[in-house]
Structure formats: C-alpha cells, structure tokens
Amino acid sequence: MSPVPPPIRGRPERRELTPELAERAIETVRNALPFFTAGTPIIHRAPGGEVHVDVPVMYLNFAVDRVHYDPKTGMPSPKGMPAVSSGGEVSPGRVRERTQKLLKEIHVLDACEFRGPEDCWVVPVAWKSFIILHVRVSADGRELIPDYGLTEEVRRHGG
C-alpha cells in the first residue's frame, strides 16, 4: 500500500462578508492602536546618495506594516508615495522617537476593504489626512495579521 500524500491547503471557504464583520475588523484595529510602537528604522541608501526610510510599526513583537518616513520634513509620507531624500545623515534614534510621537496622532478610518486572495480585511490608518498604514485583519474581524516578511526584515536588522 503506497503512502497517502498530505493535503495542500486550498483556497479559503467563501464566506458572506457583512458590514458587521468589517466593523469588527475596524474596531479590532482601533483597540490595537495604543499598543503600536515604532520599530528600528530601515534605512535604504541608493548609489546616488538618495535615502529612503521605512519605520516598521510593531504590535506584540510583530510588524503590522511600515510607515514611509521623510527625514527632511520629519513627517510620514502617504502610502504609495515613499519619500526619497537627497542624502544627508539620518539618525535612526531620532526617526524612531519622532515616529513614536506620530503614532499617538493616528486614527482608524471608518471603512475597510477585503482582499480575497489573502482572505483578510485591510483597515486603513491615517495620520492627519494621509493614509500611512494598511493593517490586515482576519476575515472574521478578530485578529491582526502580521506582515511576516517585514517582521523577518526587522529581526535581520536587529530590531
């Protein structure tokens, strides 16, 4: 008798998405906000001297997303438009400290989207009028989903 191969996880079962599930996902992120902290900045330097800074946002030792940080202005950049600075020195300690203060000013928007391939809600979080984070939440709206790739990058950079 030949061995039976183990199953492969298939696509998640389609469920009915309701406004109540979306509202639960939004509330889950809202409840998590006070626990968000700024991780160690990841500083990318291009050969021409340009600098791009990402600050991981951590929740219970896992990264949930990254804030694009503009070292020239000391402010976050909106999602989709990471700031690129024309070089100069960047103090990781100052960036982290400034981002930690910015995290006290963020708020959850009252709407979210659903991403079928990932089977999760994506809840936008804003600083002033910029969306700066997309926090993923389980389809049932109860659990945050870490950004595992970013979490590994943080651990590689000693954060």
Side-chain angles (χ1 to χ4, degrees):
M1 185 170 184
S2 61
V4 177
I8 295 175
R9 181 177 174 192
R11 291 189 58 79
E13 194 176 302
R14 281 282 173 218
R15 68 189 86 225
E16 184 179 339
L17 300 177
T18 65
E20 292 77 22
L21 288 173
E23 289 163 11
R24 183 185 298 153
I26 291 164
E27 194 60 29
T28 295
V29 175
R30 198 170 275 130
N31 291 337
L33 284 187
F35 302 99
F36 284 3
T37 60
T40 301
I42 300 168
I43 301 168
H44 306 276
R45 296 185 188 279
E50 301 88 3
V51 177
H52 168 74
V53 179
D54 283 330
V55 182
V57 174
M58 307 300 292
Y59 176 76
L60 303 179
N61 295 317
F62 287 95
V64 292
D65 199 7
R66 65 185 78 217
V67 170
H68 300 305
Y69 182 86
D70 185 342
K72 192 172 15 181
T73 64
M75 297 187 325
S77 297
K79 274 292 191 196
M81 190 60 189
V84 176
S85 181
S86 57
E89 200 50 46
V90 177
S91 165
R94 258 192 303 234
V95 170
R96 188 176 190 172
E97 183 181 305
R98 175 72 179 130
T99 304
Q100 190 62 42
K101 288 180 183 171
L102 293 170
L103 290 177
K104 294 179 185 347
E105 302 172 21
I106 61 176
H107 61 279
V108 177
L109 300 185
D110 285 324
C112 59
E113 64 180 277
F114 193 82
R115 293 188 184 162
E118 296 176 71
D119 194 36
C120 69
W121 296 102
V122 176
V123 179
V125 177
W127 173 80
K128 300 196 179 208
S129 58
F130 290 170
I131 293 174
I132 63 166
L133 296 172
H134 289 143
V135 180
R136 293 192 321 271
V137 180
S138 60
D140 66 5
R142 296 183 191 276
E143 299 173 326
L144 297 187
I145 300 173
D147 180 330
Y148 291 108
L150 180 57
T151 299
E152 285 307 310
E153 189 174 353
V154 167
R155 290 179 180 156
R156 279 194 308 273
H157 282 84

